[in-house]
Amino acid sequence: MTNPGIKPPKWATQFLTWYCKPDLLEDLQGDLNEYFYRNIKEKGVASARLIYMIDVIKFLRLYTIRRPNFVNILIQWIMLGSYFKTSGRNILRNKLFSSINIIGLAISMSVALVLIAFVVELKSFDKFHKNYDRIFRVNNTYESISNDGIDEYASTSVLAGKKIIESVSGIEKVAILRSNFAADLHVGDKTIPLEGFWASDEFLNIFSFELLSGNPETALRELNSVVLTSSSAKKLYGKEDVVGKQVLVDTVNYTITAVVKDPPLNSHLRFDMLGSFITIDTKKQTDHDKNWMKWDYMWQNYVYVLLPKDYNLESISRSFSQISEEQNKTLENETINMYPQPLSEVVISSDLSNNIGPNIQKSLLYILAGLALIVIISACFNYTNLSIARALRRAREVGIRKVVGASKNQVFNQFVIEAIIISLLSLILAFVMFLLIRPAFVALDNSIQDMVTLQPSVIVYFLFVAMAIGVGILAGFFPALFFSKINTIKVLKNLSSIQLFRHINFRKVLIVFQYTLSIGFIVAVGIGYRQYQYSIAFDLGLTTENILNIDLQSNKPELVVKELSELPEVKNISKSLYVTAVGTSWSGYFRSDNPQDSINFYYNYVDENFLSLHNIKLLAGKNFVSKVSGDAKDTDIIINQKLLKWMNLENPDDAVGREVFMNGKKCTVIGVMQDFHHNTLNNPISNFAFRYFDNLPARWSGVVNLKIQSNDVIGLMSKIEEAWKKVDPIHSLKATFYDEKIKKAYEEMSGMIKIIGFLAFLSISIASMGLLGMVVFTTETRIREISVRKVFGASEGNLIMLMSKGFIVLLAISSLIAIPGAYLLFDQMIFARIAYRAPLGFIDLFSGTLIVLSIALLAISSQTLKVARVNPATTLRNE
Amino acid sequence: MKGTNLGEFEELVLLTIAALVSEAYSVSVCDELEKHTGRKVKLGVVHAVLNRLEEKGLVKSKLGEATSMRGGKRKRYYSVTNAGKVAVVKAKEVRDQLWSLIPEMSFKNI
């Protein structure tokens, strides 16, 4: 016969009970059971269970479904008013608990509000393009022998774009873009510097930038055509109606073929003007630039494709791989592969180099979202914890409710609604906080300012409210469950019998979680801040104090130097291609005697004053000599010790005079300098050399380094500005102190520290408020115990000890989890790639515990003292 | 309501209930129908039809005893009401009349 041990799946039975009409239920259940046992015999248990589940779902039909009972709904609606009323009374009655909950939730929600507004705004990027869903960017993966790992680039080669136009089917339109179209535009005696892209003719057809005048089909088709944005047109001509006019771009005459509206803030492509791609293409071809059409010339070009409505991404990817495979045969040491990336992933992207326009890494957003969620959960725990702790007081209320006829569901609803009301009240406060945090968040980093305004839209407001309701349900769920399960008779007969303390471990777990978080955050901030301080104060091996770096902006270096050297405060001037040690670097191949053996190295172009100005020590040989004295050659180089070592030379003197090859060009080593940090501290010192700064192509621009000595920096700056104006009245001065620039190089880190610091502050506030609530509750319930102990002679110290003992154990557990956790996280993951790391001390690791401990003890002792100071007679008499 | 018109399957179920006398409940109706028609009869279909027949007032039902076969759930036994009897008889009459009109030759070659 049937085996009574085997039962149909429980959830399916419950589901059936839930949806089925009561008068059909028993019979139907019986039928299904009968078939179930029959199937066990015929087909085995597993398939019997499966059939049962399928049948339960199949019986979900119009005639079996329970009709919603109109009376029930009416009661729910009527009760809703009652829920609101009683919830309001409860919130008002327990002002301390309510304010702890409201403030805690509001603090945590404010962070989430910022994040929601941020993400929604990021998601809105580029949506204004009509063909948003069908536009893809062609990205490259790049792998080379000298670098380990594959890097991904948003850029690709011109060749890639042309090959796609030529040979890939299933693509509607292709646009090739080249960045760094920067030039001075002259109209009459007005000169305005503008920046933008070279864009091929389909650009305006793929993207929906609005044209004010001109034809999108032809605007970028002809040689020497330029498209202006309306603000550029206004700057140049004072009006927008300028199509057909000629404009002098640097030295060449261009025709203005169209005027577009300024790209909006939420466009990842931003420009003042667009030049027709054919112009630069033709120029490069006639100049016989041998790199131009190379497969690995992929650093400044971007290709966008528009796919037809019924596109097949797979076949397009396949064609891309085919082209890549074919072209990779022309390369020796590199492998480059193209792949399409949808427009929606351009702004919130994975780790891409050469990105165009604003972007943020997806992983960073996930981390921020995770942290915000953790803080919210922590605030919800406060609510849960305090509500259950107060159970003793409210249990009787629930008992009476049930006696009068409240169902389990109604009690549950009441408590959930109470939580939702509290979280909606918090939302109002959180929104005020959001308005206060917003400017600080936007100003946190230039790149954020460049991306978003955080002005909430309708969707954002909707999400805010949805989030508040979600948080309310999350916070109120456990208390509601707990209260709805209270046994009426027991509660009313004897309050102490309610199993309050069964939940004490649950509460302890919540507290440990909160404190683990707070301590973890503090440790993280400590470690991060220590590393940041360490990085910016690090002895790089070159002097950076009182050095002002001025961007040449394509002016003649000699002219700038001449003007600036007339200032008495300027003690020394040197020139270099770029500022070292702040993250930028040029690299190439270095080869010594053996032609087979070349190595990747970094270099910079500097003049004869650079080494002395930055106090870089020469170990052997001599410095560059001035071109004026006639001796300098642009094949002279000065190498560092790492390169010396690579050349297998011990003595620096041996290297002097040797012939080496840089990027294939024969050079002579004239000196060896001491190693210094030529990159940020995230990277170790590598092979590095200086070349002589002479006759560099004008477009490479460069930097003038000033060693200054002045007590009046502001006055000096205006003098320098004046001097600059004499040389270049058009472009404004771009000058930064070296130290500032180094700080800027670690800006991302300081931004992250600020965010985590803020979260640490929030999580401590929330945890402390939660603790305060718990302490108030405990002291109130243990007031008689405290009084009795006092009568028997316990001192106030003893009492504080008694009350805080349990907490200190929890704190110790939290520290044990948080400190190693945070340390490992930073050591193994976040700082794993940083080459030079700050040593960590006792303070860095244990400051979190100390801070939390002192705040907690303050809360406990203040409350205990308050109770302990009361005359025991008063408290004991009252009962 | 659609009136007392019987669908083909409804008629079969009604007849099965009448044939099973006091043993007619959903599962037994299913089994019986399967036995006689030789086709697979789904519980869901029978259940829906029984429900519809009851709504039309052609059958009535009462709950029986609980058995362990059904996990302690009671069976719902069906019996044909007077209206039901009238409906099947009427259906049969319509058929008989039509049969009587067919000349014998027509089916000779089957």
Side-chain angles (χ1 to χ4, degrees):
Chain A
M1 265 307 286
T2 53
N3 180 354
I6 302 169
K7 289 224 168 82
K10 203 173 163 196
W11 69 263
T13 315
Q14 275 175 348
F15 180 57
L16 182 72
T17 321
W18 177 72
Y19 77 71
C20 191
K21 263 188 206 162
D23 47 336
L24 289 181
L25 178 65
E26 185 169 355
D27 175 46
L28 189 52
Q29 248 178 343
D31 288 351
L32 288 175
N33 282 340
E34 201 170 329
Y35 269 97
F36 176 70
Y37 292 123
R38 198 187 281 183
N39 282 334
I40 287 178
K41 258 185 274 168
E42 286 170 12
K43 297 173 182 163
V45 179
S47 50
R49 291 172 72 94
L50 187 69
I51 292 169
Y52 186 90
M53 285 188 254
I54 293 170
D55 277 347
V56 164
I57 292 163
K58 270 163 76 177
F59 266 106
L60 186 61
R61 296 176 190 200
L62 223 62
Y63 77 93
T64 55
I65 293 176
R66 188 196 287 265
R67 299 278 176 278
N69 191 331
F70 181 68
V71 177
N72 272 346
I73 293 177
L74 197 68
I75 288 175
Q76 289 282 357
W77 268 108
I78 296 168
M79 286 309 287
L80 214 55
S82 151
Y83 297 154
F84 278 116
K85 195 187 277 175
T86 41
S87 300
R89 283 182 193 153
N90 261 310
I91 290 166
L92 287 179
R93 190 184 308 140
N94 298 297
K95 289 200 180 64
L96 178 69
F97 290 105
S98 306
S99 45
I100 284 176
N101 284 326
I102 290 176
I103 294 172
L105 284 172
I107 289 176
S108 66
M109 271 169 24
S110 63
V111 185
L113 296 192
V114 172
L115 199 70
I116 289 174
F118 188 49
V119 172
V120 169
E121 200 161 346
L122 287 180
K123 284 268 175 203
S124 78
F125 258 76
D126 295 317
K127 283 251 168 73
F128 63 92
H129 294 302
K130 219 170 55 212
N131 301 322
Y132 176 77
D133 301 330
R134 297 193 279 136
I135 301 175
F136 287 73
R137 181 168 71 185
V138 179
N139 288 355
N140 272 7
T141 60
Y142 178 84
E143 197 183 358
S144 110
I145 297 184
S146 56
N147 280 357
D148 33 323
I150 299 174
D151 292 321
E152 295 189 30
Y153 286 84
S155 53
T156 185
S157 53
V158 176
L159 184 65
K162 297 202 165 171
K163 282 277 169 200
I164 291 171
I165 297 175
E166 240 169 62
S167 59
V168 181
S169 57
I171 288 181
E172 215 171 283
K173 282 166 186 156
V174 182
I176 306 176
L177 227 64
R178 182 168 173 82
S179 61
N180 292 351
F181 174 31
D184 294 342
L185 273 66
H186 309 273
V187 171
D189 47 1
K190 228 191 261 177
T191 302
I192 309 276
L194 294 178
E195 279 178 35
F197 306 110
W198 301 100
S200 70
D201 51 349
E202 296 281 23
F203 179 80
L204 292 171
N205 297 328
I206 293 180
F207 295 102
S208 317
F209 292 110
E210 200 181 323
L211 257 69
L212 295 173
S213 52
N215 183 351
E217 303 285 334
T218 55
L220 292 165
R221 192 168 287 171
E222 302 296 324
L223 266 177
N224 298 341
S225 304
V226 64
V227 172
L228 296 180
T229 61
S230 58
S231 62
S232 309
K234 274 189 198 138
K235 263 191 231 163
L236 278 167
Y237 296 94
K239 57 176 183 177
E240 287 172 353
D241 177 27
V242 295
V243 171
K245 285 189 194 293
Q246 296 280 317
V247 61
L248 192 62
V249 178
D250 280 340
T251 53
V252 184
N253 253 321
Y254 279 63
T255 315
I256 300 171
T257 50
V259 176
V260 294
K261 264 196 179 168
D262 290 357
L265 186 68
N266 63 356
S267 165
H268 85 279
L269 294 167
R270 291 170 185 179
F271 48 87
D272 307 324
M273 59 171 178
L274 298 168
S276 58
F277 181 76
I278 192 168
T279 316
I280 184 150
D281 197 17
T282 316
K283 184 173 182 306
K284 292 281 182 181
Q285 309 268 18
T286 47
D287 285 357
H288 298 290
D289 187 325
K290 54 182 192 293
N291 281 327
W292 181 245
M293 286 300 278
K294 271 191 183 162
W295 180 241
D296 60 349
Y297 192 61
M298 48 165 269
W299 318 109
Q300 281 186 52
N301 319 296
Y302 301 85
V303 171
Y304 291 86
V305 295
L306 176 69
L307 305 185
K309 285 208 174 71
D310 54 338
Y311 63 80
N312 180 349
L313 202 57
E314 212 173 285
S315 89
I316 287 164
S317 301
R318 226 177 299 123
S319 314
F320 281 8
S321 316
Q322 259 171 22
I323 295 175
S324 307
E325 208 173 300
E326 222 169 86
Q327 293 300 326
N328 279 331
K329 288 176 195 157
T330 64
L331 304 176
E332 272 178 33
N333 299 328
E334 300 152 311
T335 318
I336 297 169
N337 284 307
M338 302 189 282
Y339 68 94
Q341 181 190 37
L343 199 55
S344 55
E345 286 171 17
V346 164
V347 174
I348 302 177
S349 63
S350 48
D351 192 3
L352 278 177
S353 302
N354 285 2
N355 234 319
I356 195 168
N359 65 84
I360 190 158
Q361 277 187 31
K362 211 185 252 173
S363 53
L364 190 66
L365 279 185
Y366 281 135
I367 291 174
L368 289 178
L371 293 178
L373 189 70
I374 284 175
V375 174
I376 286 189
I377 289 178
S378 178
C380 287
F381 281 1
N382 267 357
Y383 185 90
T384 305
N385 234 343
L386 290 177
S387 302
I388 294 182
R390 275 162 61 212
L392 211 57
R393 296 175 168 212
R394 296 200 65 182
R396 209 169 260 160
E397 174 200 329
V398 174
I400 297 288
R401 256 173 213 288
K402 285 195 165 178
V403 167
V404 176
S407 70
K408 214 164 139 182
N409 277 342
Q410 284 168 334
V411 174
F412 184 88
N413 288 348
Q414 191 213 327
F415 280 90
V416 168
I417 283 177
E418 195 173 317
I420 291 176
I421 290 175
I422 286 202
S423 89
L424 285 175
L425 288 175
S426 311
L427 180 66
I428 298 170
L429 194 59
F431 188 71
V432 175
M433 290 183 194
F434 165 75
L435 295 179
L436 295 175
I437 307 171
R438 185 170 64 189
F441 179 78
V442 173
L444 202 61
D445 194 302
N446 277 335
S447 62
I448 297 179
Q449 215 154 12
D450 202 28
M451 254 190 288
V452 293
T453 54
L454 294 191
Q455 295 298 337
S457 59
V458 179
I459 303 173
V460 172
Y461 283 119
F462 177 75
L463 287 174
F464 282 2
V465 174
M467 184 203 67
I469 292 174
V471 166
I473 293 173
L474 186 67
F477 185 78
F478 281 110
L481 204 64
F482 172 78
F483 283 113
S484 65
K485 279 189 175 162
I486 277 179
N487 185 321
T488 321
I489 299 168
K490 270 192 194 162
V491 170
L492 292 180
K493 203 166 76 184
N494 182 6
L495 200 56
S496 61
S497 72
I498 120 167
Q499 288 171 312
L500 239 193
F501 295 96
R502 209 179 60 190
H503 293 274
I504 206 138
N505 281 332
F506 177 61
R507 268 161 44 201
K508 277 181 183 165
V509 169
L510 297 191
I511 291 177
V512 167
F513 174 86
Q514 281 186 325
Y515 279 93
T516 305
L517 242 135
S518 303
I519 296 171
F521 273 136
I522 299 174
V523 172
V525 174
I527 295 176
Y529 187 67
R530 178 54 57 97
Q531 178 67 31
Y532 175 68
Q533 285 291 343
Y534 178 81
S535 302
I536 57 173
F538 195 81
D539 179 14
L540 295 170
L542 77 168
T543 309
T544 56
E545 279 140 22
N546 294 325
I547 293 177
L548 189 67
N549 293 311
I550 297 176
D551 194 340
L552 272 172
Q553 306 185 54
S554 300
N555 285 295
K556 286 235 154 55
E558 306 85 54
L559 296 180
V560 178
V561 168
K562 186 174 153 281
E563 285 297 333
L564 290 172
S565 57
E566 279 168 15
L567 298 171
E569 291 92 343
V570 174
K571 297 296 166 205
N572 200 350
I573 300 187
S574 69
K575 297 177 292 236
S576 57
L577 180 62
Y578 59 87
V579 180
T580 31
V582 293
T584 324
S585 47
W586 283 42
S587 73
Y589 286 100
F590 185 91
R591 178 155 69 78
S592 181
D593 312 326
N594 185 356
Q596 298 300 317
D597 198 10
S598 69
I599 190 168
N600 199 29
F601 84 119
Y602 299 93
Y603 62 97
N604 195 353
Y605 288 84
V606 302
D607 72 352
E608 65 276 6
N609 294 325
F610 189 88
L611 294 185
S612 61
L613 192 141
H614 291 87
N615 286 332
I616 297 168
K617 276 197 205 89
L618 266 181
L619 297 176
K622 54 188 175 35
N623 193 355
F624 298 117
V625 267
S626 165
K627 188 83 176 174
V628 183
S629 61
D631 216 11
K633 294 189 206 80
D634 59 356
T635 52
D636 287 349
I637 68 165
I638 297 176
I639 61 171
N640 75 350
Q641 287 168 292
K642 281 274 180 321
L643 268 179
L644 183 76
K645 203 171 160 200
W646 183 79
M647 289 166 75
N648 275 329
L649 297 175
E650 281 290 321
N651 194 342
D653 289 315
D654 294 345
V656 178
R658 283 214 179 214
E659 287 192 337
V660 292
F661 294 86
M662 292 178 59
N663 296 339
K665 189 176 182 184
K666 195 195 270 183
C667 295
T668 319
V669 176
I670 62 160
V672 178
M673 61 187 161
Q674 205 159 35
D675 279 345
F676 67 93
H677 289 268
H678 54 85
N679 208 327
T680 58
L681 294 181
N682 300 356
N683 308 84
I685 297 179
S686 173
N687 309 309
F688 190 81
F690 281 131
R691 292 182 67 174
Y692 188 57
F693 186 99
D694 182 51
N695 270 340
L696 300 182
R699 65 191 161 85
W700 283 11
S701 200
V703 179
V704 171
N705 327 103
L706 304 185
K707 177 89 179 176
I708 54 170
Q709 194 175 29
S710 167
N711 293 326
D712 175 22
V713 178
I714 299 167
L716 177 61
M717 286 306 282
S718 60
K719 279 188 199 169
I720 290 174
E721 204 140 339
E722 256 170 57
W724 172 264
K725 277 267 149 61
K726 280 187 215 161
V727 184
D728 185 347
I730 298 157
H731 305 90
S732 53
L733 175 74
K734 280 188 195 162
T736 341
F737 278 99
Y738 209 145
D739 290 344
E740 286 300 314
K741 206 139 192 169
I742 286 177
K743 264 188 204 162
K744 226 177 165 78
Y746 299 97
E747 204 175 38
E748 195 183 331
M749 197 159 150
S750 78
M752 209 57 201
I753 291 170
K754 279 180 199 158
I755 290 178
I756 296 180
F758 183 62
L759 289 174
F761 170 73
L762 297 189
S763 100
I764 294 175
S765 321
I766 292 168
S768 307
M769 282 192 297
L771 180 78
L772 186 69
M774 288 305 289
V775 171
V776 170
F777 164 77
T778 334
T779 42
E780 269 176 24
T781 41
R782 290 173 78 175
I783 191 161
R784 270 185 296 168
E785 180 195 338
I786 292 172
S787 302
V788 170
R789 280 180 191 272
K790 211 180 161 193
V791 170
F792 281 105
S795 69
E796 282 169 358
N798 285 342
L799 291 173
I800 293 173
M801 199 49 195
L802 171 80
M803 299 299 288
S804 49
K805 206 165 56 192
F807 174 75
I808 288 171
V809 174
L810 294 184
L811 192 68
I813 297 171
S814 304
S815 310
L816 276 180
I817 302 170
I819 294 174
Y823 177 76
L824 283 178
L825 183 72
F826 273 79
D827 194 60
Q828 301 294 323
M829 290 171 69
I830 298 176
F831 287 166
R833 276 164 55 185
I834 294 182
Y836 298 90
R837 280 197 258 168
L840 294 174
F842 180 80
I843 295 285
D844 301 304
L845 292 177
F846 288 92
S847 57
T849 313
L850 289 176
I851 293 172
V852 171
L853 185 66
S854 45
I855 293 175
L857 283 181
L858 198 70
I860 294 176
S861 52
S862 68
Q863 287 304 312
T864 314
L865 281 181
K866 201 172 112 192
V867 174
R869 290 252 167 85
V870 178
N871 189 346
T874 339
T875 48
L876 292 176
R877 188 179 52 203
N878 272 348
E879 281 294 324
Chain B
M1 214 168 274
K2 273 188 273 178
T4 46
N5 279 342
L6 281 180
E8 190 252 355
F9 194 68
E10 282 176 335
E11 191 183 342
L12 283 179
V13 172
L14 211 50
L15 289 172
T16 319
I17 293 171
L20 284 169
V21 196
S22 61
E23 277 304 311
Y25 74 104
S26 46
V27 178
S28 68
V29 170
C30 261
D31 293 346
E32 195 70 15
L33 274 173
E34 242 168 66
K35 203 164 79 192
H36 289 285
T37 61
R39 65 185 186 197
K40 189 94 188 125
V41 179
K42 290 264 166 56
L43 176 68
V45 181
V46 171
H47 205 270
V49 168
L50 285 172
N51 199 61
R52 197 158 56 227
L53 289 175
E54 194 167 10
E55 254 176 40
K56 287 183 181 175
L58 302 181
V59 298
K60 58 177 195 266
S61 67
K62 63 173 198 297
L63 286 171
E65 294 297 305
T67 61
S68 71
M69 267 297 278
R70 295 165 61 81
K73 305 289 177 200
R74 290 175 292 177
K75 291 174 187 169
R76 182 178 291 276
Y77 286 108
Y78 290 88
S79 55
V80 184
T81 59
N82 272 333
K85 283 172 193 161
V86 171
V88 269
V89 171
K90 183 141 185 263
K92 188 172 184 301
E93 274 170 7
V94 171
R95 280 164 202 236
D96 288 345
Q97 258 172 19
L98 287 169
W99 272 110
S100 67
L101 294 178
I102 304 169
E104 256 177 63
M105 324 250 300
S106 306
F107 292 108
K108 275 259 165 80
N109 299 329
I110 293 176

